[in-house]
Amino acid sequence: MRMNKEVVMVRLSDIIPNRFQPRLTFDEEALNELANSIKEQTYYKGKTAEVRKWAFASGELVYNLPWMLISSFLAFFMTDIALIPAQTVAILFLVCRIWDAVNDPMIGSMADRTKSKMGRYRPWMLGGAVCLMPIVVLLFTAHPSWSVGARTTYACVLYALAVIAATAWNIPFSALNGVISPYPNERASFSSHRIFVSSIACAATNAMFLPLVNRFSEQGGKTQGYSMAALTICLLTVPFIFTSILGTKEVVKAPPSQKMGTKQVLGNFFKNPPLLIVCTAFLVYGFLNYGRMTAGMYYFTYFWGDTGLFSIYAPINGIICAVSAFFSGYIIKLCRGKRGALLFCYGTSFVLNSILFFLNPSNSSPSVVIALLFCAGVMNGFCTSILYGMIGDTVEYGQWKTGARADGLSSSGTSFMMKLGGAIAPTMLLSLLEVNGYAAGAQTQTDGALNAINITMNLIPAGLALLSFVIFFFYKLDDKLHAKIIDDLKERGEYIVD
């Protein structure tokens, strides 16, 4: 019998259902959805997929458990326990924040050039973790008997070293998200697990540290209390160093012949519109996730007259962001892609924050405000997870344009913008308060100061959400274009998957 191997396209309307089959009608949209679900590929299968995702996500514990000590408690420790003058601490924090932003692209670029049996990024993670833990413990070890100059120098050197060690972990760890799978949707799933664990780690550190300080202070005073509590938190991270490094692998490889000169470095950003858009979105993320917390304390204390509301809002909002990040895959499917999901989330966030700006004690209640802020937190959690999952896509776009795969450098760009956004919010708030007659600790504030607090808390986030909504209209890196990019890279011999 002779077989005809020609492929013949048949119109859907020409298909006649068998009268004995249960389905007699064919819905074209449902069939397309079925076809897309069949085409969705994953590198990891079955239980291995979940094990790999949680192993990767555990890396956030290595970073956030010790780093949240620095973010939340170091300033108070330096002024009240280590007895370093407050003005000196302010200058020290400013200098180290600038250094923190500057060394991001340095570490990212060096990691991209690394060649080892462990890959490009995991050697940096191992070195960063090994150095970060003892440095943080030493940073929270006070020497009040030393001279002011000696105490200040000690703190300055250790803080600068802590920044380097934390960056040596975090930038390569972020870059690992882009090479852990060749499939965009699977990378997005990895990032949703990551953000979930990150939020839990931050909340856990803030919940555990001061009770540990009080416990250890019973025997050796506050000085010993802080150092022993920091040691305990850091020791908790040790198992996760191994789970996150040994439980992951770098699947997507850089072309062996690629060059990472100045031309490629600049081209990675300026010839990569999707990366520039994602970097701008990370500026918004930094403002909403970190800067807004600074404004929140003023907002609930003076605008609503109840500091206790912030103690309710802050931890619950963190948990809400974690849970929504974990389920971000569903919003991506519902909105038919990452771009559609972000447009929905940013549009909703704009509406929610705009409403919040017009609410005050004369026309609303704190419970309504907190409920709306929690809804905004859901949108923020979705956006956070999706954005981290998009970095790897933009890396491949940059490789397509320049011939160089720079996961570390791209991750450092998003990290820099996130830190910039986190720094802009408190700077803007304090400047507005200064020019509007804010009086620290006063029971009542001027109308100008209250308005400045409300603007920073609600109106600026609404404007930033609108900005993000607009710029993602110009984000053209959808699944179809990404598939074409991968095909082109394969033809050029530049797409290497283990």
Side-chain angles (χ1 to χ4, degrees):
M1 180 178 178
R2 189 175 179 181
M3 300 293 291
N4 186 357
K5 296 183 178 181
E6 181 182 357
V7 177
V8 179
M9 303 301 293
V10 180
R11 290 181 299 177
L12 192 64
S13 58
D14 292 338
I15 299 175
I16 301 173
N18 186 317
R19 62 191 180 91
F20 297 109
Q21 70 182 29
R23 178 177 293 179
L24 299 178
T25 59
F26 294 90
D27 180 70
E28 187 170 2
E29 184 176 350
L31 286 174
N32 287 334
E33 288 184 3
L34 177 61
N36 289 332
S37 68
I38 293 172
K39 287 191 297 183
E40 186 174 321
Q41 295 174 297
T42 59
Y43 185 85
Y44 306 96
K45 310 297 180 182
K47 293 182 179 180
T48 302
E50 282 302 308
V51 171
R52 293 285 189 180
K53 289 172 185 177
W54 289 116
F56 170 72
S58 69
E60 283 293 346
L61 295 165
V62 180
Y63 175 74
N64 276 302
L65 286 177
W67 192 252
M68 280 305 295
L69 297 179
I70 293 174
S71 298
S72 299
F73 304 105
L74 185 61
F76 179 84
F77 170 80
M78 285 187 172
T79 57
D80 289 49
I81 307 300
L83 303 180
I84 300 172
Q87 186 175 6
T88 303
V89 174
I91 296 172
L92 172 61
F93 270 58
L94 176 62
V95 171
C96 285
R97 280 194 175 188
I98 294 172
W99 169 236
D100 190 13
V102 168
N103 83 93
D104 279 0
M106 293 168 54
I107 298 289
S109 181
M110 287 189 290
D112 284 332
R113 293 181 171 92
T114 299
K115 295 180 180 180
S116 76
K117 292 182 179 180
M118 291 177 63
R120 292 184 290 168
Y121 305 117
R122 289 180 298 164
W124 284 88
M125 292 165 56
L126 180 59
V130 169
C131 294
L132 180 61
M133 307 311 155
I135 290 173
V136 170
V137 174
L138 291 173
L139 192 54
F140 278 89
T141 301
H143 301 279
S145 61
W146 292 6
S147 67
V148 173
R151 295 197 301 267
T152 302
T153 302
Y154 176 85
C156 184
V157 171
L158 285 174
Y159 195 178
L161 291 175
V163 165
I164 296 173
T167 302
W169 171 276
N170 198 43
I171 295 300
F173 176 70
S174 296
L176 182 61
N177 201 159
V179 299
I180 205 165
S181 168
Y183 304 117
N185 287 339
E186 190 169 33
R187 288 195 293 240
S189 181
F190 271 89
S191 70
S192 68
H193 284 67
R194 171 191 177 182
I195 300 304
F196 176 82
V197 174
S198 172
S199 300
I200 297 300
C202 293
T205 302
N206 287 328
M208 290 189 298
F209 187 63
L210 290 181
L212 285 172
V213 170
N214 293 332
R215 177 74 178 271
F216 288 118
S217 296
E218 293 175 359
Q219 297 178 347
K222 288 290 185 182
T223 300
Q224 179 177 306
Y226 270 87
S227 61
M228 290 301 296
L231 175 62
T232 303
I233 296 291
C234 288
L235 287 175
L236 292 175
T237 69
V238 173
F240 303 110
I241 298 173
F242 299 100
T243 58
S244 58
I245 292 177
L246 299 179
T248 58
K249 62 178 181 177
E250 299 177 23
V251 172
V252 183
K253 310 292 185 180
S257 60
Q258 84 168 16
K259 298 179 180 179
M260 286 296 294
T262 304
K263 181 179 179 181
Q264 285 77 17
V265 168
L266 294 176
N268 183 64
F269 287 100
F270 297 110
K271 291 183 179 180
N272 195 339
L275 178 59
L276 293 177
I277 290 173
V278 170
C279 282
T280 304
F282 267 91
L283 176 74
V284 176
Y285 163 62
F287 192 104
L288 294 179
N289 275 44
Y290 301 107
R292 199 174 198 180
M293 285 295 112
T294 302
M297 190 67 181
Y298 292 90
Y299 181 67
F300 287 110
T301 300
Y302 297 114
F303 198 85
W304 289 96
D306 188 351
T307 306
L309 292 174
F310 182 74
S311 299
I312 297 172
Y313 163 70
I316 296 178
N317 186 67
I319 295 172
I320 286 173
C321 288
V323 174
S324 60
F326 186 73
F327 291 104
S328 61
Y330 293 99
I331 197 75
I332 293 174
K333 290 181 180 179
L334 183 66
C335 297
R336 299 173 182 253
K338 298 172 189 173
R339 175 178 175 269
L342 286 175
L343 289 174
F344 170 77
C345 293
Y346 282 127
T348 305
S349 183
F350 167 71
V351 172
L352 291 170
N353 286 298
S354 297
I355 293 172
L356 282 163
F357 176 70
F358 292 102
L359 298 183
N360 57 65
S362 67
N363 62 20
S364 187
S365 66
S367 58
V368 172
V369 169
I370 289 181
L372 289 173
L373 284 169
F374 285 159
C375 291
V378 172
M379 297 299 110
N380 197 31
F382 285 146
C383 290
T384 302
S385 177
I386 295 168
L387 286 173
Y388 273 106
M390 295 172 88
I391 297 175
D393 304 347
T394 66
V395 168
E396 281 147 0
Y397 184 95
Q399 183 182 1
W400 186 47
K401 289 293 186 180
T402 67
R405 186 178 183 97
D407 296 86
L409 190 62
S410 300
S411 295
S412 70
T414 58
S415 175
F416 174 84
M417 295 298 282
M418 179 181 67
K419 291 171 182 177
L420 180 62
I424 287 174
T427 302
M428 181 182 295
L429 173 63
L430 294 173
S431 299
L432 288 172
L433 291 178
E434 181 68 24
V435 300
N436 283 283
Y438 170 75
Q443 291 293 322
T444 58
Q445 299 292 341
T446 64
D447 290 341
L450 293 175
N451 195 39
I453 293 169
N454 193 23
I455 287 173
T456 308
M457 184 71 181
N458 297 312
L459 186 59
I460 293 175
L464 290 173
L466 181 60
L467 170 65
S468 298
F469 182 86
V470 171
I471 63 174
F472 271 100
F473 262 112
F474 300 96
Y475 187 86
K476 304 302 182 183
L477 185 51
D478 56 12
D479 290 342
K480 184 177 180 180
L481 177 56
H482 185 265
K484 181 183 184 305
I485 289 171
I486 298 303
D487 288 341
D488 288 351
L489 291 175
K490 287 179 179 178
E491 286 183 10
R492 285 155 41 179
E494 296 177 2
Y495 192 70
I496 304 170
V497 177
D498 188 3

Short mmCIF file of all heavy atoms in Angstrom, two decimals, residues 29-63:
data_model
loop_
_atom_site.label_atom_id
_atom_site.label_comp_id
_atom_site.label_asym_id
_atom_site.label_seq_id
_atom_site.Cartn_x
_atom_site.Cartn_y
_atom_site.Cartn_z
N GLU A 29 -11.72 28.54 19.73
CA GLU A 29 -10.92 29.14 20.80
C GLU A 29 -10.46 28.09 21.80
O GLU A 29 -9.31 28.09 22.24
CB GLU A 29 -11.74 30.22 21.52
CG GLU A 29 -10.95 30.96 22.60
CD GLU A 29 -11.76 32.09 23.23
OE1 GLU A 29 -12.85 32.40 22.71
OE2 GLU A 29 -11.28 32.64 24.24
N ALA A 30 -11.37 27.15 22.12
CA ALA A 30 -11.00 26.09 23.06
C ALA A 30 -9.91 25.18 22.47
O ALA A 30 -8.99 24.76 23.17
CB ALA A 30 -12.23 25.26 23.43
N LEU A 31 -10.02 24.92 21.18
CA LEU A 31 -9.00 24.09 20.54
C LEU A 31 -7.65 24.79 20.51
O LEU A 31 -6.60 24.16 20.69
CB LEU A 31 -9.44 23.75 19.11
CG LEU A 31 -10.55 22.70 18.98
CD1 LEU A 31 -10.97 22.55 17.54
CD2 LEU A 31 -10.09 21.35 19.52
N ASN A 32 -7.66 26.10 20.28
CA ASN A 32 -6.40 26.86 20.30
C ASN A 32 -5.77 26.84 21.68
O ASN A 32 -4.54 26.73 21.81
CB ASN A 32 -6.66 28.30 19.85
CG ASN A 32 -6.92 28.41 18.36
OD1 ASN A 32 -6.46 27.56 17.59
ND2 ASN A 32 -7.65 29.42 17.95
N GLU A 33 -6.60 26.97 22.72
CA GLU A 33 -6.07 26.91 24.08
C GLU A 33 -5.47 25.53 24.36
O GLU A 33 -4.42 25.42 25.00
CB GLU A 33 -7.18 27.22 25.09
CG GLU A 33 -7.60 28.69 25.12
CD GLU A 33 -8.63 28.96 26.19
OE1 GLU A 33 -8.98 28.02 26.93
OE2 GLU A 33 -9.10 30.10 26.27
N LEU A 34 -6.13 24.49 23.87
CA LEU A 34 -5.60 23.14 24.06
C LEU A 34 -4.27 22.97 23.34
O LEU A 34 -3.31 22.41 23.89
CB LEU A 34 -6.61 22.11 23.53
CG LEU A 34 -6.16 20.64 23.58
CD1 LEU A 34 -5.90 20.21 25.02
CD2 LEU A 34 -7.22 19.75 22.93
N ALA A 35 -4.20 23.50 22.12
CA ALA A 35 -2.96 23.41 21.35
C ALA A 35 -1.82 24.14 22.04
O ALA A 35 -0.69 23.64 22.11
CB ALA A 35 -3.17 23.98 19.95
N ASN A 36 -2.12 25.32 22.61
CA ASN A 36 -1.08 26.09 23.30
C ASN A 36 -0.60 25.38 24.55
O ASN A 36 0.58 25.41 24.89
CB ASN A 36 -1.61 27.49 23.65
CG ASN A 36 -1.77 28.36 22.42
OD1 ASN A 36 -1.06 28.19 21.43
ND2 ASN A 36 -2.71 29.30 22.48
N SER A 37 -1.54 24.74 25.26
CA SER A 37 -1.14 24.02 26.48
C SER A 37 -0.26 22.83 26.14
O SER A 37 0.65 22.47 26.89
CB SER A 37 -2.37 23.57 27.25
OG SER A 37 -3.08 22.57 26.54
N ILE A 38 -0.53 22.19 24.99
CA ILE A 38 0.30 21.06 24.58
C ILE A 38 1.69 21.53 24.19
O ILE A 38 2.70 20.89 24.48
CB ILE A 38 -0.37 20.31 23.40
CG1 ILE A 38 -1.66 19.65 23.89
CG2 ILE A 38 0.57 19.27 22.81
CD1 ILE A 38 -2.51 19.05 22.79
N LYS A 39 1.74 22.72 23.55
CA LYS A 39 3.02 23.25 23.10
C LYS A 39 3.88 23.77 24.24
O LYS A 39 5.08 23.92 24.09
CB LYS A 39 2.80 24.38 22.08
CG LYS A 39 2.32 23.90 20.73
CD LYS A 39 2.38 25.00 19.69
CE LYS A 39 1.47 26.15 20.03
NZ LYS A 39 1.47 27.20 19.00
N GLU A 40 3.27 24.10 25.40
CA GLU A 40 4.03 24.66 26.51
C GLU A 40 5.05 23.65 27.00
O GLU A 40 4.70 22.56 27.44
CB GLU A 40 3.09 25.06 27.64
CG GLU A 40 3.80 25.77 28.77
CD GLU A 40 2.83 26.29 29.81
OE1 GLU A 40 1.74 26.76 29.43
OE2 GLU A 40 3.17 26.21 30.99
N GLN A 41 6.30 24.02 26.93
CA GLN A 41 7.36 23.08 27.25
C GLN A 41 7.99 23.39 28.60
O GLN A 41 7.99 24.55 29.05
CB GLN A 41 8.44 23.14 26.17
CG GLN A 41 7.96 22.67 24.80
CD GLN A 41 9.02 22.87 23.74
OE1 GLN A 41 9.43 23.99 23.46
NE2 GLN A 41 9.49 21.78 23.16
N THR A 42 8.52 22.40 29.24
CA THR A 42 9.26 22.55 30.49
C THR A 42 10.52 21.71 30.42
O THR A 42 10.53 20.64 29.81
CB THR A 42 8.42 22.11 31.70
OG1 THR A 42 8.04 20.75 31.53
CG2 THR A 42 7.17 22.98 31.85
N TYR A 43 11.56 22.19 31.06
CA TYR A 43 12.83 21.46 31.10
C TYR A 43 12.79 20.39 32.18
O TYR A 43 13.33 19.30 32.01
CB TYR A 43 13.97 22.43 31.35
CG TYR A 43 15.34 21.81 31.30
CD1 TYR A 43 16.01 21.65 30.09
CD2 TYR A 43 15.96 21.37 32.46
CE1 TYR A 43 17.27 21.07 30.04
CE2 TYR A 43 17.23 20.79 32.42
CZ TYR A 43 17.87 20.64 31.20
OH TYR A 43 19.12 20.06 31.16
N TYR A 44 12.14 20.72 33.31
CA TYR A 44 12.07 19.79 34.44
C TYR A 44 10.69 19.13 34.47
O TYR A 44 9.68 19.79 34.21
CB TYR A 44 12.32 20.54 35.75
CG TYR A 44 13.61 21.31 35.76
CD1 TYR A 44 13.62 22.67 35.47
CD2 TYR A 44 14.82 20.70 36.05
CE1 TYR A 44 14.79 23.40 35.46
CE2 TYR A 44 16.00 21.42 36.05
CZ TYR A 44 15.98 22.77 35.75
OH TYR A 44 17.15 23.48 35.74
N LYS A 45 10.64 17.86 34.80
CA LYS A 45 9.40 17.10 34.75
C LYS A 45 9.03 16.57 36.14
O LYS A 45 9.89 16.26 36.96
CB LYS A 45 9.54 15.91 33.79
CG LYS A 45 10.08 16.27 32.40
CD LYS A 45 9.17 17.20 31.64
CE LYS A 45 9.75 17.53 30.26
NZ LYS A 45 8.90 18.49 29.52
N GLY A 46 7.71 16.46 36.37
CA GLY A 46 7.19 15.81 37.57
C GLY A 46 7.66 16.44 38.87
O GLY A 46 7.77 17.66 39.00
N LYS A 47 7.97 15.58 39.84
CA LYS A 47 8.40 16.04 41.16
C LYS A 47 9.72 16.80 41.09
O LYS A 47 9.98 17.68 41.92
CB LYS A 47 8.51 14.86 42.12
CG LYS A 47 7.18 14.21 42.45
CD LYS A 47 7.36 13.07 43.46
CE LYS A 47 6.03 12.43 43.81
NZ LYS A 47 6.19 11.31 44.78
N THR A 48 10.56 16.43 40.11
CA THR A 48 11.85 17.11 39.97
C THR A 48 11.67 18.60 39.78
O THR A 48 12.45 19.42 40.29
CB THR A 48 12.64 16.53 38.79
OG1 THR A 48 12.82 15.12 38.99
CG2 THR A 48 13.99 17.20 38.64
N ALA A 49 10.62 18.98 39.06
CA ALA A 49 10.37 20.40 38.79
C ALA A 49 10.15 21.18 40.09
O ALA A 49 10.76 22.23 40.31
CB ALA A 49 9.17 20.56 37.86
N GLU A 50 9.29 20.66 40.97
CA GLU A 50 9.01 21.36 42.22
C GLU A 50 10.23 21.38 43.13
O GLU A 50 10.51 22.38 43.80
CB GLU A 50 7.83 20.71 42.94
CG GLU A 50 6.48 21.09 42.38
CD GLU A 50 6.24 22.60 42.41
OE1 GLU A 50 6.41 23.21 43.49
OE2 GLU A 50 5.92 23.17 41.36
N VAL A 51 10.98 20.27 43.16
CA VAL A 51 12.19 20.22 43.99
C VAL A 51 13.18 21.28 43.53
O VAL A 51 13.77 22.01 44.34
CB VAL A 51 12.84 18.82 43.92
CG1 VAL A 51 14.21 18.83 44.58
CG2 VAL A 51 11.95 17.79 44.60
N ARG A 52 13.37 21.39 42.22
CA ARG A 52 14.30 22.39 41.68
C ARG A 52 13.83 23.81 41.99
O ARG A 52 14.64 24.69 42.31
CB ARG A 52 14.43 22.21 40.17
CG ARG A 52 15.09 20.91 39.74
CD ARG A 52 16.60 20.95 39.97
NE ARG A 52 17.26 19.80 39.36
CZ ARG A 52 18.56 19.59 39.41
NH1 ARG A 52 19.34 20.44 40.05
NH2 ARG A 52 19.10 18.53 38.84
N LYS A 53 12.54 24.05 41.88
CA LYS A 53 12.02 25.40 42.12
C LYS A 53 12.20 25.82 43.58
O LYS A 53 12.60 26.96 43.86
CB LYS A 53 10.54 25.47 41.72
CG LYS A 53 10.33 25.42 40.22
CD LYS A 53 8.86 25.28 39.86
CE LYS A 53 8.69 25.11 38.35
NZ LYS A 53 7.28 24.90 37.95
N TRP A 54 11.91 24.92 44.50
CA TRP A 54 12.08 25.26 45.92
C TRP A 54 13.55 25.34 46.30
O TRP A 54 13.93 26.16 47.16
CB TRP A 54 11.34 24.26 46.80
CG TRP A 54 9.85 24.38 46.73
CD1 TRP A 54 8.96 23.47 46.27
CD2 TRP A 54 9.06 25.52 47.14
NE1 TRP A 54 7.68 23.94 46.35
CE2 TRP A 54 7.71 25.20 46.88
CE3 TRP A 54 9.37 26.76 47.68
CZ2 TRP A 54 6.67 26.08 47.15
CZ3 TRP A 54 8.34 27.66 47.94
CH2 TRP A 54 7.00 27.31 47.69
N ALA A 55 14.38 24.52 45.67
CA ALA A 55 15.82 24.61 45.92
C ALA A 55 16.35 25.97 45.48
O ALA A 55 17.12 26.62 46.20
CB ALA A 55 16.56 23.49 45.18
N PHE A 56 15.93 26.40 44.30
CA PHE A 56 16.33 27.73 43.82
C PHE A 56 15.80 28.82 44.74
O PHE A 56 16.55 29.73 45.14
CB PHE A 56 15.81 27.94 42.40
CG PHE A 56 15.96 29.35 41.90
CD1 PHE A 56 17.21 29.85 41.55
CD2 PHE A 56 14.85 30.17 41.76
CE1 PHE A 56 17.36 31.15 41.09
CE2 PHE A 56 14.99 31.48 41.30
CZ PHE A 56 16.24 31.97 40.96
N ALA A 57 14.53 28.74 45.10
CA ALA A 57 13.91 29.77 45.94
C ALA A 57 14.58 29.87 47.31
O ALA A 57 14.61 30.95 47.92
CB ALA A 57 12.42 29.48 46.11
N SER A 58 15.13 28.76 47.81
CA SER A 58 15.77 28.79 49.12
C SER A 58 16.97 29.73 49.16
O SER A 58 17.41 30.15 50.23
CB SER A 58 16.21 27.38 49.54
OG SER A 58 17.27 26.90 48.72
N GLY A 59 17.49 30.10 47.98
CA GLY A 59 18.57 31.08 47.93
C GLY A 59 18.17 32.43 48.49
O GLY A 59 19.03 33.20 48.95
N GLU A 60 16.87 32.74 48.47
CA GLU A 60 16.42 34.01 49.05
C GLU A 60 16.59 34.03 50.56
O GLU A 60 16.75 35.09 51.16
CB GLU A 60 14.95 34.26 48.68
CG GLU A 60 14.73 34.73 47.25
CD GLU A 60 15.29 36.13 46.99
OE1 GLU A 60 15.62 36.84 47.96
OE2 GLU A 60 15.42 36.50 45.81
N LEU A 61 16.57 32.88 51.19
CA LEU A 61 16.84 32.82 52.64
C LEU A 61 18.29 33.16 52.93
O LEU A 61 18.59 33.82 53.93
CB LEU A 61 16.51 31.42 53.17
CG LEU A 61 15.03 31.00 53.11
CD1 LEU A 61 14.90 29.50 53.32
CD2 LEU A 61 14.22 31.77 54.14
N VAL A 62 19.20 32.72 52.06
CA VAL A 62 20.62 33.02 52.24
C VAL A 62 20.87 34.52 52.19
O VAL A 62 21.70 35.04 52.95
CB VAL A 62 21.45 32.30 51.16
CG1 VAL A 62 22.94 32.59 51.33
CG2 VAL A 62 21.21 30.80 51.20
N TYR A 63 20.15 35.20 51.34
CA TYR A 63 20.34 36.65 51.18
C TYR A 63 19.52 37.45 52.19
O TYR A 63 20.03 38.32 52.88
CB TYR A 63 19.98 37.06 49.76
CG TYR A 63 20.04 38.55 49.53
CD1 TYR A 63 21.26 39.21 49.42
CD2 TYR A 63 18.88 39.30 49.41
CE1 TYR A 63 21.32 40.57 49.21
CE2 TYR A 63 18.93 40.67 49.19
CZ TYR A 63 20.15 41.30 49.08
OH TYR A 63 20.20 42.66 48.88
#
